Amino acid sequence: MQMDRYGEPRLAFAAWLLLQRDREDGVGRLAQAARSDRSFPCEGDANAVRAHLNRMQADGDSFEAVDDAEMDWLSY
């Protein structure tokens, strides 16, 4: 398990992403889509999410949203 900058356990990237559903940006749209996707890797890291999107043949905007989300996740 990863720790945040305060030494507290950090949610897995994908679990954190699922909580971002109320955002009004690409990350929020990705979170909404992920919540409706039964095969989404709910405890995965950013690379697991990218691999899943690749298997699903997602568009480039989805990958960009993962990049943006990863930066936000790393900074929280």
Side-chain angles (χ1 to χ4, degrees), residues 17-21 30-38 40:
L17 177 62
L18 292 170
L19 297 175
Q20 305 306 305
R21 66 186 176 275
L30 178 61
Q32 285 290 342
R35 290 177 63 82
S36 65
D37 179 354
R38 290 180 175 241
F40 184 77

Side-chain angles (χ1 to χ4, degrees), residues 33-67:
R35 290 177 63 82
S36 65
D37 179 354
R38 290 180 175 241
S39 63
F40 184 77
C42 298
E43 292 297 321
D45 61 12
N47 287 331
V49 172
R50 287 182 187 99
H52 177 72
L53 292 174
N54 193 40
R55 285 190 302 276
M56 302 300 290
Q57 300 180 344
D59 62 18
D61 290 343
S62 296
F63 290 94
E64 186 175 323
V66 172
D67 294 343

Side-chain angles (χ1 to χ4, degrees), residues 20 23-30 72:
Q20 305 306 305
R23 292 175 55 154
E24 295 184 13
D25 61 1
V27 175
R29 287 186 294 278
L30 178 61
D72 288 353

